[in-house]
Short mmCIF file of all heavy atoms in Angstrom, two decimals:
data_model
loop_
_atom_site.label_atom_id
_atom_site.label_comp_id
_atom_site.label_asym_id
_atom_site.label_seq_id
_atom_site.Cartn_x
_atom_site.Cartn_y
_atom_site.Cartn_z
N PHE Q 1 -14.96 3.51 -8.29
CA PHE Q 1 -16.02 2.75 -7.65
C PHE Q 1 -15.71 1.24 -7.72
O PHE Q 1 -15.42 0.72 -8.80
CB PHE Q 1 -17.36 2.99 -8.35
CG PHE Q 1 -17.81 4.42 -8.34
CD1 PHE Q 1 -17.27 5.34 -9.24
CD2 PHE Q 1 -18.77 4.86 -7.45
CE1 PHE Q 1 -17.68 6.67 -9.24
CE2 PHE Q 1 -19.19 6.18 -7.44
CZ PHE Q 1 -18.66 7.08 -8.33
N PRO Q 2 -15.78 0.52 -6.59
CA PRO Q 2 -15.51 -0.91 -6.58
C PRO Q 2 -16.70 -1.73 -7.09
O PRO Q 2 -17.81 -1.20 -7.25
CB PRO Q 2 -15.25 -1.20 -5.10
CG PRO Q 2 -16.13 -0.21 -4.39
CD PRO Q 2 -16.08 1.04 -5.24
N GLY Q 3 -16.47 -3.01 -7.33
CA GLY Q 3 -17.51 -3.89 -7.82
C GLY Q 3 -18.39 -4.45 -6.71
O GLY Q 3 -18.19 -4.16 -5.52
N LEU Q 4 -19.34 -5.27 -7.09
CA LEU Q 4 -20.30 -5.86 -6.16
C LEU Q 4 -19.58 -6.67 -5.08
O LEU Q 4 -18.77 -7.53 -5.37
CB LEU Q 4 -21.27 -6.76 -6.91
CG LEU Q 4 -22.27 -7.55 -6.07
CD1 LEU Q 4 -23.18 -6.60 -5.29
CD2 LEU Q 4 -23.10 -8.49 -6.95
N GLY Q 5 -19.89 -6.36 -3.83
CA GLY Q 5 -19.32 -7.07 -2.70
C GLY Q 5 -17.90 -6.65 -2.36
O GLY Q 5 -17.34 -7.12 -1.37
N ALA Q 6 -17.32 -5.77 -3.14
CA ALA Q 6 -15.93 -5.35 -2.93
C ALA Q 6 -15.87 -4.01 -2.23
O ALA Q 6 -16.84 -3.23 -2.21
CB ALA Q 6 -15.19 -5.29 -4.26
N SER Q 7 -14.71 -3.72 -1.68
CA SER Q 7 -14.47 -2.46 -0.99
C SER Q 7 -13.39 -1.67 -1.72
O SER Q 7 -12.88 -2.11 -2.76
CB SER Q 7 -14.03 -2.72 0.45
OG SER Q 7 -12.74 -3.34 0.46
N ASP Q 8 -12.99 -0.55 -1.15
CA ASP Q 8 -11.94 0.26 -1.75
C ASP Q 8 -10.59 -0.47 -1.78
O ASP Q 8 -9.71 -0.11 -2.57
CB ASP Q 8 -11.78 1.58 -0.99
CG ASP Q 8 -12.98 2.50 -1.20
OD1 ASP Q 8 -13.49 2.54 -2.33
OD2 ASP Q 8 -13.38 3.18 -0.24
N PHE Q 9 -10.44 -1.49 -0.95
CA PHE Q 9 -9.20 -2.26 -0.96
C PHE Q 9 -8.96 -2.89 -2.33
O PHE Q 9 -7.82 -2.99 -2.79
CB PHE Q 9 -9.25 -3.35 0.12
CG PHE Q 9 -8.01 -4.20 0.16
CD1 PHE Q 9 -6.85 -3.74 0.77
CD2 PHE Q 9 -7.99 -5.47 -0.41
CE1 PHE Q 9 -5.70 -4.52 0.81
CE2 PHE Q 9 -6.85 -6.26 -0.37
CZ PHE Q 9 -5.70 -5.78 0.24
N SER Q 10 -10.05 -3.32 -3.00
CA SER Q 10 -9.92 -3.98 -4.30
C SER Q 10 -9.42 -3.04 -5.39
O SER Q 10 -8.83 -3.48 -6.37
CB SER Q 10 -11.27 -4.57 -4.73
OG SER Q 10 -12.21 -3.54 -5.02
N THR Q 11 -9.64 -1.75 -5.23
CA THR Q 11 -9.22 -0.78 -6.25
C THR Q 11 -7.89 -0.10 -5.90
O THR Q 11 -7.46 0.81 -6.60
CB THR Q 11 -10.29 0.30 -6.47
OG1 THR Q 11 -10.46 1.07 -5.26
CG2 THR Q 11 -11.63 -0.32 -6.85
N LYS Q 12 -7.25 -0.55 -4.83
CA LYS Q 12 -6.00 0.08 -4.42
C LYS Q 12 -4.91 -0.02 -5.49
O LYS Q 12 -4.21 0.97 -5.76
CB LYS Q 12 -5.51 -0.52 -3.11
CG LYS Q 12 -4.32 0.21 -2.51
CD LYS Q 12 -3.96 -0.31 -1.13
CE LYS Q 12 -2.79 0.45 -0.54
NZ LYS Q 12 -2.43 -0.04 0.83
N PRO Q 13 -4.69 -1.20 -6.14
CA PRO Q 13 -3.67 -1.26 -7.19
C PRO Q 13 -3.96 -0.29 -8.34
O PRO Q 13 -3.05 0.36 -8.86
CB PRO Q 13 -3.74 -2.72 -7.67
CG PRO Q 13 -4.27 -3.47 -6.50
CD PRO Q 13 -5.27 -2.54 -5.87
N LEU Q 14 -5.23 -0.18 -8.70
CA LEU Q 14 -5.61 0.72 -9.78
C LEU Q 14 -5.36 2.17 -9.38
O LEU Q 14 -4.81 2.96 -10.16
CB LEU Q 14 -7.10 0.48 -10.10
CG LEU Q 14 -7.67 1.02 -11.41
CD1 LEU Q 14 -8.92 0.22 -11.78
CD2 LEU Q 14 -8.01 2.48 -11.29
N ARG Q 15 -5.71 2.51 -8.15
CA ARG Q 15 -5.50 3.88 -7.68
C ARG Q 15 -4.01 4.20 -7.56
O ARG Q 15 -3.57 5.31 -7.87
CB ARG Q 15 -6.20 4.10 -6.34
CG ARG Q 15 -7.72 4.23 -6.49
CD ARG Q 15 -8.42 4.52 -5.17
NE ARG Q 15 -8.59 3.33 -4.36
CZ ARG Q 15 -8.08 3.16 -3.16
NH1 ARG Q 15 -7.35 4.13 -2.60
NH2 ARG Q 15 -8.29 2.05 -2.47
N SER Q 16 -3.23 3.23 -7.13
CA SER Q 16 -1.78 3.45 -7.01
C SER Q 16 -1.16 3.71 -8.37
O SER Q 16 -0.29 4.59 -8.52
CB SER Q 16 -1.12 2.22 -6.36
OG SER Q 16 -1.55 2.06 -5.03
N PHE Q 17 -1.62 2.96 -9.37
CA PHE Q 17 -1.12 3.17 -10.73
C PHE Q 17 -1.45 4.58 -11.22
O PHE Q 17 -0.59 5.28 -11.77
CB PHE Q 17 -1.70 2.12 -11.67
CG PHE Q 17 -1.53 2.45 -13.13
CD1 PHE Q 17 -0.28 2.38 -13.73
CD2 PHE Q 17 -2.61 2.86 -13.89
CE1 PHE Q 17 -0.11 2.71 -15.08
CE2 PHE Q 17 -2.45 3.18 -15.23
CZ PHE Q 17 -1.20 3.10 -15.82
N LEU Q 18 -2.70 5.00 -11.04
CA LEU Q 18 -3.11 6.31 -11.52
C LEU Q 18 -2.47 7.44 -10.71
O LEU Q 18 -2.15 8.50 -11.27
CB LEU Q 18 -4.63 6.42 -11.49
CG LEU Q 18 -5.37 5.51 -12.48
CD1 LEU Q 18 -6.88 5.68 -12.33
CD2 LEU Q 18 -4.94 5.79 -13.91
N ASP Q 19 -2.26 7.22 -9.43
CA ASP Q 19 -1.52 8.21 -8.63
C ASP Q 19 -0.12 8.41 -9.21
O ASP Q 19 0.37 9.54 -9.32
CB ASP Q 19 -1.41 7.75 -7.18
CG ASP Q 19 -2.70 7.95 -6.39
OD1 ASP Q 19 -3.50 8.83 -6.78
OD2 ASP Q 19 -2.91 7.23 -5.41
N ASP Q 20 0.51 7.30 -9.56
CA ASP Q 20 1.85 7.35 -10.12
C ASP Q 20 1.87 8.08 -11.46
O ASP Q 20 2.88 8.68 -11.83
CB ASP Q 20 2.40 5.93 -10.29
CG ASP Q 20 3.82 5.92 -10.81
OD1 ASP Q 20 4.72 6.35 -10.08
OD2 ASP Q 20 4.03 5.49 -11.97
N ARG Q 21 0.76 8.01 -12.18
CA ARG Q 21 0.66 8.68 -13.48
C ARG Q 21 0.29 10.15 -13.33
O ARG Q 21 0.10 10.85 -14.35
CB ARG Q 21 -0.37 7.98 -14.37
CG ARG Q 21 0.01 6.58 -14.85
CD ARG Q 21 1.21 6.58 -15.78
NE ARG Q 21 2.47 6.58 -15.03
CZ ARG Q 21 3.59 7.13 -15.45
NH1 ARG Q 21 3.64 7.75 -16.62
NH2 ARG Q 21 4.69 7.08 -14.72
N GLY Q 22 0.15 10.63 -12.12
CA GLY Q 22 -0.07 12.06 -11.91
C GLY Q 22 -1.50 12.48 -11.67
O GLY Q 22 -1.79 13.69 -11.68
N TYR Q 23 -2.42 11.54 -11.43
CA TYR Q 23 -3.80 11.90 -11.15
C TYR Q 23 -4.05 11.98 -9.65
O TYR Q 23 -3.30 11.41 -8.85
CB TYR Q 23 -4.75 10.87 -11.78
CG TYR Q 23 -4.62 10.78 -13.27
CD1 TYR Q 23 -3.81 9.80 -13.86
CD2 TYR Q 23 -5.28 11.68 -14.11
CE1 TYR Q 23 -3.66 9.73 -15.24
CE2 TYR Q 23 -5.13 11.61 -15.48
CZ TYR Q 23 -4.32 10.64 -16.05
OH TYR Q 23 -4.17 10.57 -17.41
N ALA Q 24 -5.10 12.68 -9.28
CA ALA Q 24 -5.52 12.75 -7.88
C ALA Q 24 -6.68 11.77 -7.72
O ALA Q 24 -7.82 12.10 -8.06
CB ALA Q 24 -5.95 14.17 -7.52
N THR Q 25 -6.38 10.56 -7.25
CA THR Q 25 -7.42 9.53 -7.18
C THR Q 25 -8.11 9.52 -5.83
O THR Q 25 -7.52 9.85 -4.80
CB THR Q 25 -6.84 8.14 -7.46
OG1 THR Q 25 -5.95 7.76 -6.39
CG2 THR Q 25 -6.10 8.11 -8.78
N TYR Q 26 -9.37 9.09 -5.86
CA TYR Q 26 -10.18 9.01 -4.65
C TYR Q 26 -10.98 7.71 -4.64
O TYR Q 26 -11.58 7.34 -5.66
CB TYR Q 26 -11.16 10.19 -4.58
CG TYR Q 26 -10.47 11.51 -4.37
CD1 TYR Q 26 -10.00 12.24 -5.46
CD2 TYR Q 26 -10.28 12.03 -3.09
CE1 TYR Q 26 -9.35 13.46 -5.28
CE2 TYR Q 26 -9.63 13.24 -2.89
CZ TYR Q 26 -9.18 13.95 -4.00
OH TYR Q 26 -8.53 15.16 -3.81
N PRO Q 27 -11.02 7.02 -3.49
CA PRO Q 27 -11.89 5.85 -3.35
C PRO Q 27 -13.32 6.34 -3.14
O PRO Q 27 -13.53 7.51 -2.79
CB PRO Q 27 -11.35 5.16 -2.10
CG PRO Q 27 -10.82 6.29 -1.28
CD PRO Q 27 -10.23 7.27 -2.27
N TRP Q 28 -14.29 5.45 -3.33
CA TRP Q 28 -15.67 5.91 -3.15
C TRP Q 28 -15.99 6.13 -1.67
O TRP Q 28 -16.89 6.88 -1.35
CB TRP Q 28 -16.65 4.98 -3.86
CG TRP Q 28 -17.11 3.75 -3.11
CD1 TRP Q 28 -16.40 2.97 -2.25
CD2 TRP Q 28 -18.42 3.18 -3.19
NE1 TRP Q 28 -17.18 1.92 -1.80
CE2 TRP Q 28 -18.43 2.03 -2.36
CE3 TRP Q 28 -19.59 3.51 -3.89
CZ2 TRP Q 28 -19.55 1.21 -2.20
CZ3 TRP Q 28 -20.70 2.69 -3.74
CH2 TRP Q 28 -20.68 1.57 -2.90
N ASP Q 29 -15.28 5.43 -0.78
CA ASP Q 29 -15.37 5.69 0.67
C ASP Q 29 -16.76 5.42 1.24
O ASP Q 29 -17.20 6.11 2.16
CB ASP Q 29 -14.96 7.14 0.95
CG ASP Q 29 -14.43 7.33 2.37
OD1 ASP Q 29 -13.96 6.34 2.96
OD2 ASP Q 29 -14.50 8.46 2.89
N LEU Q 30 -17.42 4.37 0.72
CA LEU Q 30 -18.76 4.02 1.20
C LEU Q 30 -18.83 2.57 1.65
O LEU Q 30 -19.90 1.95 1.61
CB LEU Q 30 -19.80 4.30 0.11
CG LEU Q 30 -20.05 5.77 -0.22
CD1 LEU Q 30 -20.89 5.91 -1.48
CD2 LEU Q 30 -20.71 6.48 0.95
N GLY Q 31 -17.69 2.02 2.06
CA GLY Q 31 -17.68 0.64 2.52
C GLY Q 31 -17.76 -0.36 1.37
O GLY Q 31 -17.36 -0.06 0.25
N ARG Q 32 -18.28 -1.53 1.67
CA ARG Q 32 -18.44 -2.54 0.62
C ARG Q 32 -19.62 -2.17 -0.28
O ARG Q 32 -20.63 -1.64 0.19
CB ARG Q 32 -18.66 -3.93 1.22
CG ARG Q 32 -17.39 -4.51 1.85
CD ARG Q 32 -17.54 -5.99 2.15
NE ARG Q 32 -16.28 -6.51 2.66
CZ ARG Q 32 -15.29 -6.94 1.90
NH1 ARG Q 32 -15.42 -6.93 0.58
NH2 ARG Q 32 -14.17 -7.40 2.43
#
């Protein structure tokens, strides 16, 4: 889940890291 005023773009580095570590990551997909 992203922070106030932010979108899934802000969590992309975090998701990329966890994807690389073998997790199945998902953005919240609800816009900003």
Side-chain angles (χ1 to χ4, degrees):
F1 300 79
L4 175 62
S7 67
D8 290 322
F9 179 78
S10 68
T11 64
K12 188 174 181 179
L14 196 157
R15 285 183 281 119
S16 294
F17 166 72
L18 293 178
D19 283 336
D20 183 68
R21 292 294 84 210
Y23 299 96
T25 67
Y26 292 86
W28 85 325
D29 205 24
L30 291 169
R32 288 193 176 274

